[in-house]
Amino acid sequence: MPTAERERIYERADNKGWKKWGPYLSERSWGTVREDYSPYGDAWNFVSHDMARSRAYRWGEEGIGGISDNKGHICFALSFWNHKDNILKERLFGLAGPEGNHGEDVKELYYYLDSTPTHSYMKMLYKYPQQEFPYNQLVIESTRRSRQEPEFELTDTGIFDKDEYFDIFIEYTKAAQNDWLVTITIHNRSDKVAPLTILPTIWFRNTWSWGYEQYNARPMLNGIANNQIEVNHKQLGKYKLYCEDADALLFCDNDTNSERLYGRPNVSKYTKDGINNYIISGGKKTFINPNQIGTKASAQYDRKVPAGGSISIRLRFSEQTTLAQPFADFDDIWNNRVSEADMFYADLQKNVTDPELLAIQRQAYAGMLWSKQFYYYNVNEWLKGDPKMPVPFQGRVYARNENWRHMYTANIISMPDKWEYPWFAAWDLAFHTLTLARLDAHFAKRQLAVILREYYMHPNGQIPAYEWNFGDVNPPVHAWATWKVYEIDKEQNGIGDVNFLERVFHKLLLNFTWWVNRKDVSGNNIFGGGFLGLDNIGVFDRSQPLPMGGRIEQADGTGWMAMYTLNMLRIACEISLTRPSYQDMASKFFEHFLHIASAMNNLGKQNISLWDEVDQFYYDVLHMPDHNARLLKIRSMVGLIPLFAVEILDESLLSKLPDFKRRVEWVLTNRPDLASLVSRWHEPGKGETHLLSLLRGHRMKMILKRMFDETEFLSDYGIRALSKYHEKTPYQFELNSEIFQVRYVAAESEMSMFGGNSNWRGPIWFPVNFLLIDSLLKFYQYYGDDFEVEYPTNSGQIMSVKKATVLVAERLINIFRRDSSGQIPAYGIDKKMQDDPHFKGLYLFYEYFNGDNGMGLGANHQTGWTGLIADVIEYVYKYRTQEAALLK
């Protein structure tokens, strides 16, 4: 029987109903491209952290543990004051890109602990120091450090050493679709009583200051006594925030303090920073509206939290505006929703039995769900400027995203990280959808569809990359993600959503054509594409013109496109089962795949191959201006990506597609040059299957030999992005007496070629590891147990591809689970996070991981694709279940 939460999920497919309200606030809106109205695109300085409390945002909002409606009109979040800081803790602090020695970096401790897909129950934890927050120390020390030094983290300041901090648990449940219950529980971890001011805050996104007629009506918050705030909004109607036992209600307006920031007169007497100024000044009433009206309001709770004890605060935000006893049924509703959440996850995680892995998986799911955000950006309006700007707008010398004026986004989108990457990234999003599909297939499908809509995708067919430059090129993984989401949805519901598949297929056709027209420069089925998400993995920035001229033909770009053709082929075959005319499209992609496979072995019929017979590995090819060509022999993820181009077609499917089957057989008979490239098509594999792959058995074994070698790619924690071989033997390229070098670096990058926080020179990245697992399973599906490999290389242990794949997956899991010494590799040598009882059981899902010791690096709050650990755990347990069944 479906759980109550599963029934809510399927009430409707859009982000309305039970999903109308959710954790849709960003963790950071300052320092973003959307808020940057500077002439030269200086986003980090145009709105800084210090300015954020005083400037009304144009495109989004931010807050700690916040929620909003699905268009971000009404926002609610938590603010705190420890009676030591000189500003309220209204937003999470972190370094701007130029301040960090490895780029932008949040400097707070917070954890997403739980959430259901409809957000009927949510929980997070924020750790707030009781001593003055070390803002200046974090900036000064981080700026002082070089790229060769580790980042200076909040725990390194010593502010948690004496346990003088609050654990603040923020929890939400829904009584109904538009009825929120809120509990804030504060634990004092020190041995002394500590004061804390808690400020649950509600406000409206500022839409009235920009000069648009449809938003002329100014919404209103109105205080009643000390415990109720009326909410009136033209688009959303009336609500009320009930504040149990509040000491006072404080009101100001979500309008810019132009006097503080720009030396200009204020539009509103009570500006956005009014509540901050009132609290910090000790209650100076000139900062807040004495009439208890405004567009921003807080309930004030001044509390002393007992040593080692806790306090709780309850609120209710509801469309029921006449509740005489709003908290009478609070506990019953709360307990029901928590119970329903547990039932939902008990069903979802039924294959997993290990308590530690259950906790890791559930928090990974929680992070994926908390990372939803209302993303709003009208590029044309942004470039032109609004009719009425709060500060002078003189136009731009550097017009970022100038060629994307058609783009108009106003959707709930899964973010890579709501502080460090509070904007969608196209290829990140594709990976997010796999994990999201297990939680809420409707939402996952909408994510894939929205990125391909006509007001996102460029008219030429390019998918927008990310906010800083929509015109950059991400790997074409969306067809793969579409097929995976379709399979997950079909597994859950028993019926495949062919309408979804067909809808997305048509949009992907446009994108595929863009790739063929724009990134196959010579028309020879060999592709470039630039950095393709792999940042500084090469000797040159592949997105920029080469310093010596010429061009690079990329093993990864070509591998991605071979994968793309096979993904499109498989989708076309599935649609053909109910719409037979799609067999023509299946044939088209079958033949296109063969041409790419042919080209990889003979670039433009020049007898040049991306495969190096000496090293038995794939490399990029550099074409020099003098028409000479050479392989760039860097052993990197670039050479593993051709493994991703693999698909299995079984006889039962082909028998249902006679036109496609006939065309395939004609091509293989009449084009023996192409037929020889298809791995063992005429030799049915396990279960009467046929293999389409760039790799034949020998080449596959050679690549796996390197990949499974612990002195090269295989780490104790997964597959490295760059071979460890280059640690002692860096790749060197000489140009005009200058040496360009690529050296293995296990952790943070020593170079800033593609931005301060970019690094593919050694660490372990989840997305490509997951694709390797997925691809190897397809090879096993064809070869079965007959195809054996040595794992690890030179160990003498011989096993099936499937077993080796499971062992790689378990290495990824080992990043998060406690090892034999009781330590979690992801947390490195941080004693507090490793051993403290109030830190145990809390997981951070980092952007990438040290290639030697598994320590977490980069963005650390559920950078979306690391949520794939939930799928890795699911896969490993399914394998174990199957093995156990066979033993019986």
Side-chain angles (χ1 to χ4, degrees), residues 69-273:
D69 64 277
N70 60 2
K71 295 300 178 185
H73 288 297
I74 300 176
C75 307
F76 174 90
L78 281 303
S79 299
F80 309 98
W81 186 47
N82 60 9
H83 295 239
K84 299 286 179 63
D85 292 345
N86 61 2
I87 58 172
L88 294 185
K89 180 62 71 172
E90 291 183 273
R91 56 191 48 79
L92 297 170
F93 174 72
L95 304 178
E99 293 174 330
N101 60 324
H102 296 124
E104 65 267 30
D105 187 21
V106 68
K107 297 299 184 184
E108 303 272 12
L109 287 177
Y110 59 104
Y111 304 84
Y112 301 128
L113 299 179
D114 212 350
S115 181
T116 59
T118 67
H119 312 295
S120 58
Y121 175 66
M122 300 195 303
K123 182 178 184 179
M124 74 164 285
L125 167 64
Y126 173 60
K127 290 179 177 285
Y128 184 34
Q130 293 169 6
Q131 298 302 318
E132 184 177 357
F133 196 90
Y135 292 106
N136 291 334
Q137 183 185 4
L138 287 164
V139 173
I140 291 169
E141 177 61 21
S142 298
T143 304
R144 184 197 66 78
R145 293 192 177 194
S146 69
R147 293 194 63 83
Q148 286 69 43
E149 295 175 274
E151 294 174 357
F152 184 63
E153 302 295 359
L154 183 58
T155 52
D156 295 330
T157 68
I159 201 163
F160 289 99
D161 288 354
K162 296 180 181 179
D163 291 331
E164 293 176 339
Y165 69 93
F166 300 107
D167 267 340
I168 303 174
F169 291 90
I170 304 166
E171 294 180 87
Y172 298 92
T173 63
K174 290 182 184 178
Q177 294 180 8
N178 301 311
D179 193 344
W180 284 91
L181 311 182
V182 187
T183 298
I184 306 140
T185 306
I186 300 102
H187 294 265
N188 179 1
R189 298 306 185 193
S190 76
D191 58 4
K192 298 177 183 177
V193 175
L196 180 67
T197 297
I198 306 105
L199 296 156
T201 303
I202 189 166
W203 72 100
F204 301 114
R205 177 166 55 87
N206 189 322
T207 56
W208 54 87
S209 295
W210 318 110
Y212 294 99
E213 185 176 348
Q214 66 268 36
Y215 293 121
N216 276 344
R218 190 181 181 99
M220 180 64 71
L221 300 171
N222 182 38
I224 302 173
N226 281 339
N227 56 21
Q228 295 184 27
I229 300 174
E230 284 187 341
V231 181
N232 291 279
H233 193 281
K234 183 178 179 180
Q235 280 80 24
L236 275 73
K238 294 185 177 182
Y239 290 82
K240 187 173 283 186
L241 179 64
Y242 300 94
C243 312
E244 187 178 48
D245 299 327
D247 298 324
L249 300 179
L250 312 176
F251 289 78
C252 62
D253 285 309
N254 188 21
D255 285 303
T256 297
N257 186 341
S258 298
E259 184 177 321
R260 174 184 179 245
L261 298 180
Y262 311 111
R264 298 170 60 88
N266 286 325
V267 174
S268 171
K269 182 178 180 181
Y270 309 105
T271 53
K272 177 181 176 179
D273 50 13

Side-chain angles (χ1 to χ4, degrees), residues 9 88 138 157 174-175 182 187 225 271 378 457 485-486 501 537 541 548 577 654 659 692 738 864:
I9 292 168
L88 294 185
L138 287 164
T157 68
K174 290 182 184 178
V182 187
H187 294 265
T271 53
N378 182 327
M457 181 185 280
V485 168
Y486 173 83
L501 213 54
I537 202 165
D541 182 343
M548 78 295 288
L577 294 174
L654 291 172
D659 293 343
L692 288 171
E738 183 179 358

Side-chain angles (χ1 to χ4, degrees), residues 532-601:
L532 286 180
L534 304 187
D535 295 357
N536 56 15
I537 202 165
V539 68
F540 306 113
D541 182 343
R542 300 185 300 174
S543 289
Q544 300 298 325
L546 298 175
M548 78 295 288
R551 71 182 191 279
I552 293 176
E553 291 180 319
Q554 297 175 214
D556 59 333
T558 308
W560 286 121
M561 282 302 289
M563 170 185 166
Y564 201 169
T565 59
L566 292 181
N567 299 149
M568 293 294 277
L569 164 61
R570 187 63 189 87
I571 292 171
C573 286
E574 187 74 6
I575 301 173
S576 295
L577 294 174
T578 51
R579 285 105 156 139
S581 61
Y582 279 81
Q583 291 178 82
D584 290 343
M585 297 307 302
S587 300
K588 176 260 185 295
F589 284 108
F590 173 76
E591 294 183 41
H592 204 132
F593 168 75
L594 295 182
H595 289 299
I596 292 175
S598 174
M600 288 188 76
N601 291 316

Side-chain angles (χ1 to χ4, degrees), residues 102 147 535-536 748-749 751 754-760 765 848:
H102 296 124
R147 293 194 63 83
D535 295 357
N536 56 15
E748 299 285 9
S749 175
M751 299 183 66
F754 215 92
N757 59 356
S758 299
N759 187 20
W760 282 77
W765 292 81
Y848 50 95

